Amino acid sequence: MARDITLIPGDGIGPEITDATLKVLAATGLVFNWDRQLGGMAAVAATGDPLPEATLASIRRTRLALKGPLTTPVGGGFRSINVALRKEFELYANVRPAKTIVHGQRYDNIDIVLVRENLEGLYIGQERWVERDGDPHGQAESVAVVTRSGSERVIRYAFEYAAQHGRKKVSIVHKANILKNTSGLFLEVGREIAKEYAGRVEMNELIIDNCAMQLVMRPEQFDVIVTTNLFGDILSDEISGLVGGLGLAPGGNIGTSAAIFEAVHGSAPDIAGQGIANPSALILAAAMMLDHLGETAAGDRVRRAIVATIVADEVRTRDLGGTASTGEFGDAVARRVV
Ligand code: NAI
Ligand code: MG
């Protein structure tokens, strides 16, 4: 039976990489019932609302979405629709794997899964302006909230993921030396949960700034990383750089009532509409979605097709030093899905 899935092509390069991804998914032979919905700037243009009720209703029904990037205005303007979707569907764990595809580069044999807390910390949107020195914008304040229950479920997710995927170590990344309460609570909970997994999954702790440095000096020491929202946002872009950049970095937002799969990257306005974006990140996110549906064999076929296209066929988009367009690359991957 065809599975119902909400599809949000999104903004910027979103529609281009979505087209390529749909071709690859079709090549698996599985049949999906795509419910196309709007979000972000595309939704503002069509309906005046960046997150239309129809989009929410669709995800409530399907409990599963494949989503392109959504543009968020910098500074003022509407709040992030990505953050709103994560909140609406309690998508508490953001799973971002990064694995080397092209060997013999500056970094080799990278295989890191970052699990980012996706709902709390500084991303709750409690910010305000305070008057200072007669200037209404003389001071800005932001509230960070970390809860024991929120930390528990995401850290448990990371350890459980490690145990189930045969991974050896979970690194808890924090800033508890300075943020003694918010980061301190996350670390305290991490230490407790690590005890439950003693003998099965190793645990180590790193302060965020050291972790950022260790990632570029000795990335091979990392296996699974679990961290709070902002640190996870920054580290996942850094980690994507170890495997060839944002064009190769997928992510899954896992929640209690739904799951949304997307690329780590944004709408890339600098290259949008040119047909040169790398669709691999969204294709790999679609493979994670297949795993989530229990179709792990199909997920593996898609991942192998990406590797075969990039490595054996040497068909590559510009970000990886090639000349293939988004469409040509997508077609090449689809042909490789066997
Ligand atoms: P970005 O990730 O869109 O782009 C950063 C750089 O990476 C750019 O030079 C871009 O050309 C390149 N890049 C990204 N994806 C690529 C791909 N698939 N192939 C080739 N090159 C690629 O980040 P930026 O420019 O900071 O943000 C643009 C917009 O995207 C903002 O409005 C931001 O809020 C939004 N955004 C949305 C996300 C989402 O929907 N989950 C995540 C991150 C940002
Ligand atoms: Mg980000």
Side-chain angles (χ1 to χ4, degrees), residues 96 116 233-234 236-237 264:
R96 297 181 154 182
R116 162 188 175 189
D233 191 358
I234 298 168
S236 53
D237 272 39
V264 169

Side-chain angles (χ1 to χ4, degrees), residues 5 18-34 66 283 286 289-290 298 301-302 330-331 333-338:
I5 305 175
T18 299
D19 283 348
T21 302
L22 291 180
K23 282 190 188 167
V24 174
L25 283 174
T28 64
L30 297 170
V31 184
F32 306 99
N33 239 336
W34 298 108
L66 182 64
I283 296 171
M289 185 188 78
L290 294 175
R301 285 161 64 209
V302 169
D331 290 344
V333 176
R335 279 196 298 275
R336 273 289 195 168
V337 175
V338 284

Side-chain angles (χ1 to χ4, degrees), residues 239-278:
I239 293 168
S240 84
L242 303 174
V243 299
L246 284 168
L248 294 172
N253 299 279
I254 311 297
T256 46
S257 53
I260 299 181
F261 294 85
E262 64 182 345
V264 169
H265 63 72
S267 53
D270 53 337
I271 58 167
Q274 299 177 31
I276 59 171
N278 186 350

Side-chain angles (χ1 to χ4, degrees), residues 96-291:
R96 297 181 154 182
K99 195 165 186 227
T100 298
I101 291 180
V102 182
H103 293 279
Q105 305 284 314
R106 183 154 25 152
Y107 295 102
D108 210 346
N109 301 315
I110 303 291
D111 187 1
I112 300 173
V113 177
L114 181 130
V115 179
R116 162 188 175 189
E117 197 291 315
N118 219 13
L119 298 173
E120 305 191 336
L122 279 165
Y123 283 54
I124 57 167
Q126 274 193 43
E127 289 199 301
R128 61 170 192 159
W129 296 109
V130 177
E131 189 181 310
R132 192 182 179 100
D133 309 323
D135 177 358
H137 279 198
Q139 184 169 318
E141 296 181 351
S142 188
V143 176
V145 171
V146 172
T147 66
R148 181 174 297 278
S149 57
S151 303
E152 257 169 29
R153 67 180 171 180
V154 73
I155 295 169
R156 193 175 298 285
Y157 185 95
F159 275 90
E160 203 48 44
Y161 181 99
Q164 281 174 19
H165 291 81
R167 297 211 168 234
K168 297 200 163 40
K169 184 168 75 178
V170 173
S171 300
I172 299 174
V173 175
H174 65 88
K175 188 75 187 178
N177 49 330
I178 305 296
L179 308 172
K180 292 188 189 290
N181 295 22
T182 46
S183 227
L185 176 57
F186 191 81
L187 178 60
E188 180 186 314
V189 171
R191 286 174 177 167
E192 284 164 14
I193 291 177
K195 281 186 205 144
E196 295 173 28
Y197 289 84
R200 287 192 288 154
V201 181
E202 241 178 87
M203 180 276 259
N204 76 335
E205 310 171 4
L206 287 101
I207 296 175
I208 176 66
D209 29 2
N210 178 33
C211 178
M213 183 275 288
Q214 294 287 340
L215 274 167
V216 292
M217 295 295 290
R218 274 198 325 117
E220 61 282 354
Q221 71 186 285
F222 293 98
D223 192 346
V224 175
I225 294 175
V226 65
T227 189
T228 45
N229 210 337
L230 177 61
F231 299 157
D233 191 358
I234 298 168
L235 287 186
S236 53
D237 272 39
E238 183 186 357
I239 293 168
S240 84
L242 303 174
V243 299
L246 284 168
L248 294 172
N253 299 279
I254 311 297
T256 46
S257 53
I260 299 181
F261 294 85
E262 64 182 345
V264 169
H265 63 72
S267 53
D270 53 337
I271 58 167
Q274 299 177 31
I276 59 171
N278 186 350
S280 298
L282 190 62
I283 296 171
L284 291 168
M288 291 175 77
M289 185 188 78
L290 294 175
D291 295 345

